[in-house]
Amino acid sequence: MSKIIPIGPYHPLQEEPELFKLYCEGEIVKDIKWETGYNHRGIEKLSESKTFDQVFFLVERVCGICSTSHPFAFANCMEEIGEVEIPDRAKYIRSIIGELERIHSHMLWFGLAGHFIGYNTVFMWVWKYREPVLDLFEMITGNRNSYAMFKIGGVRRDIENNKIGKIKETLDLIRKKTDMLIGAVMDDPVIHARTKGVGILTKDDIINYGAVGPTARASDVAIDVRHDNPYAAYPLVNWKIITAKEGDVFAKVEVRLLEILESVSIIDQCLEGLKKEKEGEIETKVKAIPEGIGTGRAEAPRGEVFHFVKTNGSNYPERHKIRAPSYVNIATFKKSCIGQTISDATISLAAVDPCYCCTERLASVYDKDTGTKVFGGEELIKNSQQKTREIQKTILRNEH
Amino acid sequence: MGFKEFCFKKSLWLFHFGGASCNNCDIEILACLTPRFDVERFGMQLVGSIRHADVLLVNGSINQKDKVRLLELYRQAPKPILVVAIGACGCTGGIFAESNVFAGPVDKIIPVDAYVPGCPPKPEAIIAGIVKLLNKKPAKQKTA
Ligand code: SF4
């Protein structure tokens, strides 16, 4: 009889509500189920009632941590429909914001990962050095998160040339501190013991599950939208895709830490590019969006963000579909956690940097054969409550 | 000063409930604990169970699935408990207020003692909110 261990939905370990159920025999995890829905906000539907300009503020709030990648993908998508070419200065600014976000997101993840394996020092350290990045955001955009920088045809605010010095200073600091972290982590025997060979995903697993982002790159699958489908200033600068071979948690740490350094170098080059362009030329005026359909992709810190929009010539999207990277990455839990001890499961779960606020889509369950609706929203809620009660009962029973 | 007011003077323990949020508020709450802001110097600490908490921090819009759980948490909380709604979502529903799954802002579901607006509020704002809360004596507390 396997024992069920629920983690969540409101668990001090997670900052987002989600429920994992680990089916364990002894210490070993035999199966895992996860349940979401605590974070569903109906964004795709809401988007249909907003004008294109307002949608940017909405999709920014799909996910707070990667609050540039969604507007990025949406902008790419709308510019494909409207066939808009944006000025180079705007391209550079977009890339700078995107990369700064990658830095702060990877640092955030790294801190939390340290916290998960009991290294609170790492957590405090990394978050301390994440603050200067947020200060940069505050200087450039006026807000620490949710930057509201994007619009169709360009960006809302310029990065004036007199700010470049300050940005470079901060980048130097980040480079130094990342080197320090790499030194501290890569040689630490305890971190090796806790992360090496844990939660391994092979190349085949990645391809079968369709995983994206650092999760895939840590298993030697070199996919990156910035490279495969270049957008913004990425074709204009030199950079390389970071990959690792092993596919375990350690490889994911390695990929993310090295990506921070790569992002710093991309920003450096973009700032040089910025100096060559004229100040103030940051947007192409767009009058109307024609009828059509478009897709936009962007590489978020966690992987590929995909947006699909259908327009009908009016000011509102007729249909807006969002696919976030965690949506595919979460499925790899099935592979990475099963057969491990419970204590390793947490870090394996954390390793893909799952982001539930991105992933929450409306769930209705349809019968596979007949096509009839089995559960709608209401029933699902009821069903879930029922299940929670059952779990509680099972656990109580198992305990006695 | 009654015993309960006395207990609320220092070292508040916080329990964090993240509703259907975009995660930014959650992250900013966490940021309050990290070296730059460090609320632990006031003895504030995030705790794992509502039964240990003095303050319930609620952020994010509340959807139907969250609503039942929020009510349940409030029921389990030791009274008196201070409830702080964080972020535009917590205060009013913010950008998600028109959503089809929205189940009402926090103060329609449970009584709220303080609101910290902003999207997301800066950690300074969150700390300021909690400090204001420390200095006021809510009527509810005395009767509870
Ligand atoms: S108030 Fe803003 S930042 Fe906070 S959860 Fe809501 S949308 Fe996100």
Side-chain angles (χ1 to χ4, degrees), chain A residues 206-224:
Chain A
I206 296 292
I207 292 167
N208 290 342
Y209 283 100
V212 290
T215 312
R217 293 198 282 275
S219 303
D220 206 17
V221 180
I223 51 168
D224 193 320

Side-chain angles (χ1 to χ4, degrees), chain A residues 1-4 23 387-400:
Chain A
M1 171 75 213
S2 63
K3 198 168 188 147
I4 304 170
Y23 293 75
K387 226 175 187 173
T388 318
R389 255 175 260 130
E390 272 165 25
I391 298 169
Q392 286 164 345
K393 260 187 238 146
T394 332
I395 293 169
L396 275 183
R397 210 179 312 127
N398 281 341
E399 269 172 5
H400 296 304

